[in-house]
Amino acid sequence: WWSYKHDTYQKPNGETGDYWYGDKLAATLTVPVLPDGRLVLTIQQRYLSDKQSIEFPSGATDPETALLDSAKRELHEETGMSAQEWVSIGEFGSLPGYFKAKTMVFIAKVNGQGEQQLDDTEDIEVIYRRADEFQDMVERNEIWDSQTLAAWSLVHHYFI
């Protein structure tokens, strides 16, 4: 999913320095919205934190696949849902001092649920919340995933 890299660069004082960082494939994150306005979220157990995380569907892209197609694939895999209407919202960097990585954010108006297509590392539950309920969860620190929080900062004004 990512590689560890080393560059030699010129510091602001003119000296040469070493910079170690992670280089990661781009990711997509989708804020799925049901016809009644509720948000679609996933709950997954996160190994490194050893606790469950409530998140918007997201995942790494395939370098050979368009970002929107990657978002559509990830939405379907994690939730079983599809959408006909997609809006590109923007992008953000994840840990820009440590990783070369970007995440593209989309809003999708979902229109039905099928079967999830999870891989053997995933066990994902799908839940639904109104925007005000989601905001309350953020304020109670029940939502702690940085990508979900960053995406919410880009899209919350569409919902609240």
Side-chain angles (χ1 to χ4, degrees):
W1 290 319
W2 64 280
S3 56
Y4 194 53
K5 298 219 172 173
H6 169 253
D7 287 344
T8 303
Y9 76 110
Q10 186 173 354
K11 296 179 185 179
N13 66 7
E15 295 178 9
T16 299
D18 292 307
Y19 205 98
W20 301 89
Y21 61 97
D23 192 6
K24 178 179 173 308
L25 292 172
T28 61
L29 182 146
T30 301
V31 179
V33 185
L34 293 166
D36 66 6
R38 287 180 299 157
L39 305 171
V40 178
L41 301 157
T42 63
I43 301 176
Q44 330 187 28
Q45 182 71 20
R46 290 300 185 184
Y47 173 77
L48 292 178
S49 302
D50 193 28
K51 65 181 182 177
Q52 288 189 325
S53 179
I54 300 170
E55 306 171 6
F56 290 121
S58 65
T61 62
D62 175 346
E64 306 297 317
T65 304
L67 291 172
L68 179 56
D69 291 336
S70 290
K72 289 177 178 180
R73 182 200 73 238
E74 201 65 37
L75 174 67
H76 181 70
E77 287 177 0
E78 291 191 0
T79 69
M81 295 182 174
S82 61
Q84 298 301 325
E85 191 174 333
W86 290 80
V87 178
S88 177
I89 298 300
E91 71 178 64
F92 60 85
S94 299
L95 296 168
Y98 300 100
F99 273 90
K100 187 184 282 187
K102 72 175 180 179
T103 299
M104 301 298 300
V105 178
F106 297 90
I107 294 176
K109 295 193 176 178
V110 295
N111 53 13
Q113 185 165 353
E115 187 140 343
Q116 293 170 302
Q117 304 294 313
L118 303 176
D119 65 39
D120 65 354
T121 66
E122 297 175 311
D123 182 15
I124 298 175
E125 177 185 349
V126 178
I127 63 171
Y128 313 96
R129 295 293 183 270
R130 293 186 324 265
D132 63 312
E133 292 173 319
F134 181 85
Q135 183 61 40
D136 288 345
M137 293 168 76
V138 169
E139 292 171 12
R140 290 190 306 264
N141 201 36
E142 294 171 18
I143 310 286
W144 54 269
D145 171 62
S146 62
Q147 295 211 112
T148 295
L149 293 169
W152 186 242
S153 74
L154 291 173
V155 304
H156 75 277
H157 62 279
Y158 291 100
F159 301 100
I160 294 180

